[in-house]
Amino acid sequence: MTGEWWRGRRAKAAAAALVVLVGAGFGTWATGSWPFAEDRARYCWGAWEAGSGPEFLADAALDDGGKRKAEETAPTRQRPRGSCTVALRSEETYGTEKIEITVRYGPAPEAAADRMKWLVGHLGDRAVPLPDGLPGAVDGDQALLVLPKRCDTRDGRPTVVTLDSDAKLTSANGSMGTSPGLGGTHSVAALTVAAANRGMAAAGCAPDRPLRVTSPVLTLAEDTERVFTTRACRIRGMEFGEGAADRMEYQVGAVTPELQSCSVRTSGLDGKPVLDALMVSGPRLDALFDGAVGDAPPARGWRGTGVLGAHQQVLRADCAGRSTTFLLRTPDTSDLGKATTTRYFEAFANAATQRLGCAPVAPTTDTENGGTGR
């Protein structure tokens, strides 16, 4: 099912068509009952209602000539893939603001390199675990939710719902990022779960009880910090040279039993990635790495199975009785070199295992590696 509408303040007629196309019986985002009060427009397979929830859905977003555009394809039993995009365009004092909120329903990327980049993008940096035991992660601009096993694809890959946003203000002086108006991490989590419930119902794999977000979302304990001459994310073995470190900053992300991340960027508004490291555990999240971790130890002395590449290193091993995957990724243009990347990977992976209380996975005899400076 596809559809596209440009809506102004009075354009409500298309909402009735959306109701007919999507169908009744699914859970919804925001308040209201069926049939919908005032025939308000609905988006993302009927999950979100105009005039409710976060700023990008508010009526005020259409003030002063603002326009909202929606385009979507719903998943089906025969083709359990779908997407929806809600776009806003408005003329502000300093230029034109364009916002796009995109939800995708389907499996993780099949190619290993694409999947690793996708996972780092959704689980790293400032992402925190979803609340209420939901397998996934969220920050203020995006989210990832792994659906129940009954929604897995025929080839065994988990089906995932992601929410991504892009917001820019463009003027004669160029473009700059701005807020997408999603309402914060809890709101992003609720939007994602609402869309997931609708998508699963359309694809015929909805659980008996809809997924819900009721608990608070974890708040990151730390802000971005400059690296200087210290170790990135305060992990021993992740030091950078003095000249390079002066131009870098790091973000300690989630540090939980299911997720740990460390992201290093160049400093400034146009900061570029230097490296991203992840530890992922829990059966549904860890399953996202299936088929991408090799079937043998990556090198002598390593525990588990994995691959050590120049820009992408991944390892899966048992840690305290749980399958746990470690990933370190650098940009394709990085000049760190495989030996340096491997040294950082060793340090991060062994620091994570030490925190979790299991045996080291990397072969290091350096007593400075594998610990943290917390």
Side-chain angles (χ1 to χ4, degrees), residues 4 24 61 90 106 139 163 238 296 302 307 325 365:
E4 182 172 306
S90 60
D139 63 27
L163 184 151
M238 294 188 72
W302 286 80
V307 179
T325 301
T365 57

Side-chain angles (χ1 to χ4, degrees), residues 8 13-14 56 60 66 89 111 140 160 230 233 246 250 256 278 280 291:
F56 82 96
R89 178 179 177 140
V160 179
T230 187
C233 300
D246 289 344
Y250 67 83
T256 72
L278 287 175
V280 176

Side-chain angles (χ1 to χ4, degrees), residues 52-61 68 88 97 99 179-183 187:
S52 67
E55 183 181 338
F56 82 96
L57 291 174
D59 292 337
R68 182 183 289 126
L88 291 172
E97 185 177 45
I99 297 172
S179 171
L182 287 168
S187 175

Side-chain angles (χ1 to χ4, degrees), residues 99-142:
I99 297 172
E100 284 193 355
I101 314 298
T102 301
V103 171
R104 294 182 177 87
Y105 180 109
E110 188 168 7
D114 294 338
R115 198 186 317 174
M116 298 303 109
K117 182 178 181 180
W118 176 81
L119 283 166
V120 163
H122 286 94
L123 301 180
D125 203 24
R126 299 189 61 81
V128 297
L130 287 168
D132 302 306
L134 295 170
V138 61
D139 63 27
D141 298 320
Q142 61 182 9

